[in-house]
Amino acid sequence: MKAAILTAPAKISQRPLRIDEVARPALQPGHVLLKVRACGVCRTDLHIVEGELAPQRDHVIPGHQIVGDVVEGATAELPVGTRVGVSWMGGTDGSCWYCRHAMENLCDQPTFTGYTVNGGYAEYALARSDFVFPLPAALDDLHAAPLLCAGIIGFRSLRVAGVEQGERVGLFGFGASAHLAIEVLHAWKCEVYVSTRGGSHRKLAESLGAKWVGAETDKPPVELDRAVTFAPSGDVVMVALANLRKGGVVAINAIHLDRMPEFDYDHLLWGERQLRSVANMTRADARDFLQIAAEIKLHPKVTKFSLEQANEALLAVKNDAIDGAAVILP
Ligand SMILES: [Zn+2]
Ligand SMILES: [Zn+2]
């Protein structure tokens, strides 16, 4: 099969992914083999390819927003031809303290799709049968793919931030994840304030009904009940914190930040303000979000790339050169 393979992490401008023919994965017990129909491109893929996340294998096929059809390893629940989604959480041990306490997103022995095991920048991918999600027919391949990490983890961020109906919520950064979260927030009748770099991202936020839109470090005109930061920047976290009411929460939706600046406790955190990170996702997050997505007819803005263009797709994500999400169609 054809696949995009990473052997040595490097800046994406150096095109570290090699497009090559490799053996199709062999079926393993408890797994399904999927024929990949689409695979979303996530900023985490960029961190893996550029080496900001330490390599876990001598080579890896990235990609953890996979839409595919079951072609081998079918079960009664997953007959051949079932169209399923695969996300970042590729598996857990099911036995550690976190798994036993309904926090499988924090599992001590997790499997991460496209990082610790091969992912979906390929024609075929292997996935654990208990970590795939049958997809509603209402969601086509191209538009389902970005829901599988950007969507699910964006949704988890809203849960971690403790968003309640009708609240004022700030979104800092407006890429693949935020442009889906805003629609969920509107379904919950929240007012959404967006600070982001790039004129086209600001236009997109306006077109999706943001109450207010500003540049990356602009201060929203009101105190926020909740904020979610998406940019991999500690300075942006500080801007979000500085706009928060007492008792409010900032959820950081980023697996990697450039750095965390020193900050003034008395003015920024005192008053029971909370700063929380968002780590991975649970299967319950995935199921709940995919149901909401189908109900509100969530329709991501997508840009298509071929498998041969995997490096270009990641470069576009890095440069914020596209609005919404990038999706690879192998
Ligand atoms: Zn992701
Ligand atoms: Zn565990």
Side-chain angles (χ1 to χ4, degrees):
M1 68 170 186
K2 205 188 297 170
I5 304 145
L6 178 73
T7 43
K11 289 290 168 204
I12 191 62
S13 55
Q14 295 171 34
R15 305 176 56 85
L17 288 173
R18 181 171 45 87
I19 319 301
D20 210 348
E21 287 288 329
V22 295
R24 190 192 288 193
L27 186 66
Q28 290 171 23
H31 288 66
V32 283
L33 181 68
L34 304 176
K35 171 129 183 43
V36 178
R37 300 173 69 111
C39 187
V41 176
C42 176
R43 187 169 286 274
T44 300
D45 301 338
L46 183 65
H47 295 320
I48 291 166
V49 168
E50 294 200 322
E52 280 149 344
L53 296 181
Q56 303 291 306
R57 308 156 49 99
D58 61 2
H59 65 273
V60 71
I61 300 170
H64 58 266
Q65 303 188 92
I66 308 170
V67 176
D69 289 331
V70 173
V71 291
E72 282 180 36
T75 61
E77 298 80 48
L78 297 169
V80 168
T82 309
R83 196 177 61 123
V84 297
V86 182
S87 188
W88 171 241
M89 211 70 187
T92 56
D93 59 12
S95 59
C96 76
W97 189 88
Y98 299 98
C99 285
R100 288 185 284 109
H101 290 81
M103 289 183 268
E104 66 180 7
N105 60 306
L106 303 177
C107 178
D108 282 332
Q109 301 281 337
T111 302
F112 294 125
T113 312
Y115 183 43
T116 64
V117 296
N118 284 331
Y121 288 13
E123 290 177 307
Y124 292 86
L126 199 61
R128 246 175 76 167
S129 315
D130 51 350
F131 277 80
V132 301
F133 309 101
L135 293 170
L139 303 169
D140 67 58
D141 301 337
L142 191 60
H143 295 95
L147 304 183
L148 292 164
C149 177
I152 295 167
I153 296 184
F155 176 71
R156 181 173 181 83
S157 305
L158 304 182
R159 284 186 157 169
V160 168
V163 175
E164 293 181 22
Q165 287 259 344
E167 286 191 320
R168 292 169 164 174
V169 181
L171 301 178
F172 291 79
F174 204 74
S177 206
H179 98 288
L180 298 171
I182 192 172
E183 302 217 40
V184 175
L185 288 167
H186 283 151
W188 293 346
K189 308 209 168 8
C190 292
E191 283 179 7
V192 184
Y193 297 80
V194 175
S195 296
T196 189
R197 69 176 185 180
S200 76
H201 285 194
R202 288 195 285 275
K203 277 207 189 76
L204 180 61
E206 274 161 19
S207 76
L208 291 173
K211 177 100 178 165
W212 173 90
V213 181
E216 193 176 22
T217 52
D218 281 357
K219 199 174 155 59
V222 296
E223 282 196 323
L224 301 168
D225 298 303
R226 319 281 163 186
V228 181
T229 68
F230 297 93
S233 153
D235 290 332
V236 170
V237 173
M238 290 301 110
V239 175
L241 201 52
N243 280 286
L244 206 61
R245 69 155 164 81
K246 286 178 277 188
V249 181
V250 175
I252 304 171
N253 179 335
I255 195 167
H256 162 81
L257 284 189
D258 52 355
R259 74 191 209 296
M260 198 61 175
E262 192 175 286
F263 67 92
D264 185 83
Y265 169 81
D266 299 11
H267 291 101
L268 291 181
L269 205 56
W270 165 250
E272 300 197 342
R273 293 175 177 89
Q274 294 181 57
L275 198 51
R276 301 188 63 184
S277 63
V278 180
N280 313 319
M281 46 164 282
T282 65
R283 282 172 283 182
D285 293 328
R287 284 189 284 263
D288 294 348
F289 170 71
L290 289 171
Q291 189 184 333
I292 289 177
E295 279 167 17
I296 67 174
K297 300 187 170 57
L298 195 53
H299 199 75
K301 194 167 166 53
V302 297
T303 303
K304 289 186 254 183
F305 292 86
S306 67
L307 191 53
E308 286 74 12
Q309 296 171 308
N311 288 296
E312 286 74 15
L314 285 165
L315 188 62
V317 168
K318 181 170 187 174
N319 293 337
D320 287 328
I322 52 168
D323 289 331
V327 177
I328 290 174
L329 297 175

